[in-house]
Amino acid sequence: MKRLRKAERNLFFDQIIEEGCLKDRLKFREKEAGLLYGCFGMEKSMENRNKVMNWQEFETKLQEIDLKGTPPETEPERQYYFIKKLRVWAEEKKKELKRPLYANITTFGCQMNARDSEKITGIMEMIGYEITEREDADFLLYNTCTVRENANLKVYGRLGQLKSRKQNNPEMVIALCGCMMQEKPVVEKIKKSYRNVDIIFGTHNIFKLAELLSMEVLDRPQSGKMIIDVWEDTTQIVEELPTERKYPFKSGVNIMFGCNNFCSYCIVPYVRGRERSREPEEILAEIRSLVADGVVEIMLLGQNVNSYGKNLEHPVSFAELLEEVEKIEGLERIRFMTSHPKDLSEELIKVLGKSKKVCHHLHLPLQSGSSRLLEKMNRHYTKESYLELVDRIRAAVPDIVLSTDIIVGFPGETEEDFKDTMEVVERVRYDSAFTFIYSKRTGTPAASMEEQVSEETTKERFDRLLKRVQEISAEKTELLTGKTARVLVEEVNKRKSGYVTGRTDGNHLVHFQGEKELVGKIVDVMLEESKGFYFMGRQMLS
């Protein structure tokens, strides 16, 4: 199926699957009964069939909605109602203004947030907005991150700058969502100091955007009251809404939400909630739809993908899910993140070793090389067990590209603890590493720990670590010089005319001479020169 024009793009709802069991059965145990089930526990029933809805079918659904009636109680039908209602309003508003309505969506943080923003963009486009990067848009939304304090400060800074724009254009709607909004002190601060904000919602009800916007522009546009709808937690997963992908040829796919790990420094479980896994048949249906729409690479997303499926009625392991995803014809590459070392199983290592589609790049967060600090961090592994895990992974996938996260200055970190971290860096020799200075997050156990490390000591250690990480990364990339790699071309190079940019299987960035027609294609490229963090290459023509 060809890629549709923007106004006709598929909405990736559930794809029709074969009646009864999946062709390639997945077996798993139901712990209580000890019985084996096939095909994710599906019964041979029409009720369990999923359906993809394209643009035309979605339009038909909207036409069936009676705006004179009350909004449906069920989701996503309730949101369809508000999308239609806002469409009517948007058409009238555009006639009044004699111009389009513009929406600006700005994303802070991780790939989970980026995926949420694609959903937000899809909803806004369905309503009738045009997406822009201008901050004087009619609708402006910040999808926030709160992993580190600096992320919060960026948002506050931007909100302050928007006060004058809001005064000049009182009809501008400013909305905030994402992890930062799950923190009660943050919401209270915004209520007090940033009255220019109109809508606040969190991570659990992204799907309610149309309903909240309807409340703002239709129900009480002159009230001046801030709409706040933040849920503490949820078991609800609503995915059947429009999505506007950044790239037509690759896409993220949420397989689970939330986190159960409660690392002592991390705010994520408090703002994203407990783990909730999507049903595997829903995930597979979405990926099939994406592939039919031209996607060749997917990224399976979750705070800890290795614990996927544990809370399903009929548990399925992440390794089993990967094997099913691999069978989808037309899909070329599979990536996933993030993996928690404590949950990375031998079963998954075997799948990585034999897979033809799973990319040979693994992000395996270390955080610290000190077993003492790892215990304080509540990571549930030791320095020794982490190194053993790396050895097993490399035995199965010798050319695996490893990246990691490392925190410097965690409360109580001594020079000996830091040396343990440096020792792991030397042993593993990561291809790349994201290094962070510890950021105290209110509400986490680590925030109240004694022995907070001084800023001066932390900075000195951070600089040492960063220098060595960069040296090793440069040495590792230099070893690839002269080799040929398969590169997915992602975009026309913005800095060098006549060049394009893509990524290898191992996630290395490559710039090489090529035409824009190569974007979205996987081609062979000679890695001619290492620049430390990227390669300059040359396309190998057959």
Side-chain angles (χ1 to χ4, degrees), residues 48-238:
N48 286 334
R49 296 179 74 177
N50 297 318
K51 191 169 188 269
V52 164
M53 294 180 66
N54 60 30
W55 170 269
Q56 292 80 8
E57 289 171 321
F58 182 77
E59 288 292 340
T60 300
K61 281 281 187 183
L62 293 187
Q63 291 300 320
E64 294 172 354
I65 292 173
D66 181 9
L67 292 180
K68 295 179 181 179
T70 58
E73 293 296 323
T74 58
E75 298 290 2
E77 292 77 15
R78 183 176 178 86
Q79 300 312 311
Y80 300 163
Y81 174 93
F82 288 107
I83 288 174
K84 182 175 182 179
K85 193 173 181 179
L86 284 168
R87 271 188 168 186
V88 175
W89 167 82
E91 287 305 312
E92 292 299 319
K93 196 67 179 176
K94 284 186 277 189
K95 290 178 183 177
E96 176 190 329
L97 297 173
K98 297 180 180 179
R99 63 167 175 81
L101 288 174
Y102 295 103
N104 177 311
I105 315 298
T106 301
T107 308
F108 299 89
C110 68
Q111 288 174 312
M112 297 286 285
N113 271 18
R115 181 60 175 165
D116 285 343
S117 289
E118 290 183 341
K119 298 172 188 176
I120 290 166
T121 300
I123 291 170
M124 296 306 295
E125 287 190 337
M126 288 296 171
I127 289 169
Y129 284 81
E130 293 185 14
I131 305 303
T132 180
E133 293 184 1
R134 294 164 41 184
E135 288 207 334
D136 59 350
D138 301 283
F139 175 87
L140 189 144
L141 179 142
Y142 293 150
N143 187 359
T144 63
C145 170
T146 191
V147 171
R148 289 168 187 84
E149 184 180 10
N150 190 48
N152 290 29
L153 296 177
K154 284 183 180 179
V155 173
Y156 291 138
R158 295 224 184 171
L159 290 178
Q161 294 171 10
L162 289 175
K163 287 183 178 180
S164 59
R165 289 182 180 172
K166 181 75 169 182
Q167 290 173 349
N168 294 332
N169 180 13
E171 290 192 353
M172 169 191 266
V173 176
I174 299 176
L176 301 174
C177 69
C179 295
M180 186 175 164
M181 298 306 108
Q182 293 292 144
E183 296 186 86
K184 290 181 181 179
V186 167
V187 174
E188 289 302 316
K189 179 173 182 175
I190 292 170
K191 286 167 61 178
K192 181 179 179 180
S193 304
Y194 301 96
R195 297 301 306 174
N196 53 325
V197 173
D198 299 291
I199 302 172
I200 294 175
F201 57 113
T203 59
H204 305 305
N205 57 343
I206 294 289
F207 65 89
K208 282 191 66 178
L209 173 59
E211 182 173 352
L212 299 174
L213 182 58
S214 177
M215 292 169 61
E216 172 62 28
V217 300
L218 296 176
D219 297 343
R220 45 184 178 185
Q222 304 302 325
S223 70
K225 293 182 179 179
M226 193 181 293
I227 296 172
I228 301 173
D229 189 11
V230 179
W231 301 0
E232 289 190 7
D233 206 348
T234 184
T235 58
Q236 193 173 14
I237 297 177
V238 180

Side-chain angles (χ1 to χ4, degrees), residues 314-534:
H314 303 293
V316 178
S317 72
F318 180 57
E320 290 172 314
L321 177 67
L322 272 182
E323 289 184 308
E324 291 302 306
V325 173
E326 174 128 5
K327 295 172 185 175
I328 296 175
E329 293 185 8
L331 181 63
E332 300 287 337
R333 284 181 169 183
I334 304 168
R335 298 187 187 275
F336 58 86
M337 72 181 323
T338 297
S339 285
H340 196 300
K342 76 177 178 65
D343 295 314
L344 204 155
S345 65
E346 286 300 314
E347 179 190 25
L348 179 56
I349 293 174
K350 289 178 182 178
V351 170
L352 297 180
K354 68 182 181 181
S355 173
K356 303 298 182 184
K357 295 183 179 180
V358 177
C359 292
H360 287 188
H361 167 240
L362 179 63
H363 188 70
L364 194 65
L366 171 66
Q367 307 304 0
S368 174
S370 163
S371 295
R372 186 182 73 86
L373 286 191
L374 288 170
E375 184 176 4
K376 287 184 68 176
M377 290 178 170
N378 198 37
R379 292 291 289 175
H380 296 284
Y381 57 84
T382 64
K383 170 187 175 181
E384 292 73 23
S385 65
Y386 183 95
L387 290 171
E388 289 171 2
L389 175 62
V390 170
D391 288 342
R392 295 199 302 274
I393 293 169
R394 282 188 165 147
V397 192
D399 64 342
I400 193 76
V401 173
L402 289 177
S403 58
T404 196
D405 297 331
I406 301 174
I407 297 172
V408 179
F410 185 80
E413 180 187 72
T414 65
E415 182 62 23
E416 287 303 310
D417 293 322
F418 179 71
K419 286 180 179 178
D420 282 339
T421 296
M422 293 294 285
E423 183 180 336
V424 174
V425 168
E426 295 292 345
R427 286 272 303 274
V428 176
R429 292 182 63 79
Y430 297 102
D431 294 83
S432 63
F434 298 93
T435 53
F436 305 100
I437 290 175
Y438 167 71
S439 177
K440 184 189 295 187
R441 307 309 294 132
T442 303
T444 62
S448 58
M449 288 181 181
E450 298 179 356
E451 299 180 277
Q452 298 286 329
V453 183
S454 71
E455 183 177 341
E456 181 182 1
T457 299
T458 298
K459 182 66 167 58
E460 187 274 330
R461 290 173 184 168
F462 179 83
D463 290 343
R464 266 194 283 162
L465 172 65
L466 184 61
K467 180 177 183 293
R468 188 58 187 134
V469 161
Q470 291 177 342
E471 289 172 348
I472 293 173
S473 180
E475 292 166 7
K476 294 291 290 287
T477 54
E478 186 64 38
L479 294 175
L480 297 174
T481 302
K483 295 185 178 180
T484 299
R486 298 282 286 165
V487 174
L488 172 58
V489 184
E490 296 187 346
E491 59 186 356
V492 173
N493 193 293
K494 296 181 177 65
R495 296 184 177 181
K496 194 164 186 177
S497 178
Y499 278 67
V500 293
T501 298
R503 289 191 180 273
T504 68
D505 176 281
N507 208 40
H508 293 108
L509 196 65
V510 184
H511 307 298
F512 64 97
Q513 196 168 7
E515 302 298 324
K516 64 180 180 180
E517 287 75 19
L518 289 177
V519 174
K521 296 180 180 179
I522 299 176
V523 297
D524 290 323
V525 177
M526 170 76 76
L527 306 178
E528 292 190 315
E529 182 182 5
S530 169
K531 295 289 188 177
F533 299 107
Y534 64 91

